[in-house]
Amino acid sequence: MTTTVYVAGMSSGGGKSTIALGLTELLAARAGRVAAFRPLAQPGGDGILDLLAGYHGLRVGHGASYAEAGQLAGAGRSEELISRIVERYHELAREADAVVVVGSDFGYQDDHQEFPTEVAFNVRLAGEFGAVLIPVVDGRGRPVETSAAMAKNAFYAVEALGGDVLAVMINRAAGPPGPVPITLPVPVYAIPDEPLVAAPTVAEVAAALGGRRLAGSADAYKKNVLDFVLGAAQVPTCLDHLKDGSLLITPGDRADLIVAAHAVHAAGMVSPAGLVLTLGETPDPKITTLLERLGDLAVVGVDADSFDTVAACAGVEGRPTADNPVKVQAALAAFAAGVDTADLSTRLAAPPPTRVTPLMFEYRLIEQARADRRKVVLPEGGEERILRAADSVLRRGTADLVLLGDPALINRRARDLGLDVSGALIVDPVTSAWRDEFAATYHELRKHKGSTLDGAYDRVTDVNYFGTLLVHSGRVDAMVSGAAHTTADTIRPAFEIIRTLPDVSVASSVFFMCLADRVLVYGDCAVNPDPTAEQLADIAISSAGTAARFGVEPRVALLSYSTGTSGAGADVEKVSAAAKLVRERRPDLPVEGPIQYDAAIDPAVAAAKLPGSAVAGHATVLIFPDLNTGNNTYKAVQRSAGAVAVGPVIQGLRAPVNDLSRGATVQDIINTIAITAIQAQS
């Protein structure tokens, strides 16, 4: 049975995007296939559906356009409209385990008596869909007491119309986040006001003003505008009001303010969102040449005067979009801060999934990491992807972070990108007070290999060695590196300093392969070129443990070009011996080998080649006989099947150190940080 949650705004606006994002992620962790639906969609595309389709990759659909709704209502055919919407909802719901429905907007003008009022219309549809309702109250700019009273009124209004209310949410609440102490039969949650979520980008402001782009790259126009500063005073006074994210509005002939704004940006003192130059004036070409050398700031030109421009800007509001992950993460963080997700999940009673989907896997990673936060060091602190991932990890509370590098350069780079990494500890290995201690430790560990104290003093300024020593000393719990370093650069310090667990003969790796309908675990695809039978057994047992730790039920297949006794040779015998060792050491672990890949994952092939096997056709952990096979297979599946490969996840070390691909995306890095933090929990 499909679980359907209907988000219904109780007034215009209200920030339904934040609620939709949070609910989608919550359901995806528990219900497998999630879809999103809007009864009525805006012409030319719907912002919320575009967001959910672009960010979460959901299947989306809508019932009718506002124009269609108006025509049918005007002709007295409201029931036909309802039928059309319900039919299109069911077309989408048949292919989903859960659906998030985002109700109609109050922008629709009800000029026809036959057409129901907005709230009644949404409650009626929720009933037709068999959906539970979440009324959303807009708390922005309202006292806490007023918002609480509105939440209570919303519950009784929806209930009186026959709606089944799951919870009431006060979005953009002024008071403390979390459950609101109101006497109602359902919980009321206060989601905090996060200004970044509704902040427009410079590009959105420019479009609203009909402005001309005078300077700045495409990235500069993606910066979020947190406030507006009218540049009418002298430079010192104006600079007192200019903050990170400020959009300076000033006449185009105020060269002093224009240069000053660029100068504080170039100096790393403040990172303005950009400038709007009014009165149709543009700076002298000599000034423009100077500005180009002072950094990349968006500069927009308009013909209106400054005061009219400020007034026009006041009405510009942004919303989260799939191509603005900072806003999305800020919205998700606000939702998580305000909603008791465990209690809400219990109330939803979503059907248990039969498989772990990629979205479910990613969400569970974040939840599991947040439940017992660990400290992770990121040696490549100045790398853009690392900073973007760090912003997300800190906003979501996935882990505590240490960034390595020059603090001034890292902070400036983060501000230029519109990111917030103020919650991270930033350490420069060259000037750190820990350098002497780490040099002595490294010298003691490696003197049998000829390490000198002077050499160790230089060695520990390498960010990967310094980060590994942070782990070894217990100052952090784990390390993630590799976005700008080779695998050897990342892993070698771990082998030298942290070393393997006593009962593990060899460190190894796995990739979590997120396919369209399941998550598989591949090992070893990154570390061991040609493992022995004993090492292959170790890899299989370690990989099964890693899979179980991350919610993938381990059914282990040791792969070969032979299934059962269909082939012979040294390579087959190695895999057969490894399978025998695994059974002896872990009789509780479902294992099969040697087995071919198709027989391991395809039930039809398994029935023909290895009938009666508990693993064949249902394997979740696939162990390759050597690195050549494993590395090529994971890359072939990743590129040809469009799978997301999370890893390599290193296993068998005394403390977690994980390597990133140098082509890793920001989401890859976020996932790897979460995985590493979870490894550190145990």
Side-chain angles (χ1 to χ4, degrees), residues 6 14 46 63 135 141 205 233-234 245 249 255 276 297 301 311 318 361 369 431 467 535 590 596 603 612 642 660:
Y6 198 117
D46 184 89
V205 173
Q234 296 302 309
I249 300 171
V276 175
L297 269 182
F361 178 71
T431 60
Q535 290 173 332
Q596 292 161 292
L660 297 164

Side-chain angles (χ1 to χ4, degrees), residues 164-212:
D164 182 7
V165 180
L166 176 71
V168 182
M169 296 189 183
I170 304 171
N171 196 29
R172 304 189 284 203
V180 179
I182 299 178
T183 305
L184 283 177
V186 300
V188 177
Y189 300 117
I191 298 171
D193 187 12
E194 170 51 73
L196 182 58
V197 175
T201 62
V202 178
E204 288 171 333
V205 173
L209 297 176
R212 302 176 296 279

Side-chain angles (χ1 to χ4, degrees), residues 100-121:
V100 175
V101 180
V102 184
S104 61
D105 297 318
F106 275 72
Y108 180 79
Q109 298 299 315
D110 179 14
D111 294 326
H112 307 282
Q113 195 171 7
E114 299 87 358
F115 194 78
T117 63
E118 198 86 27
V119 173
F121 174 68

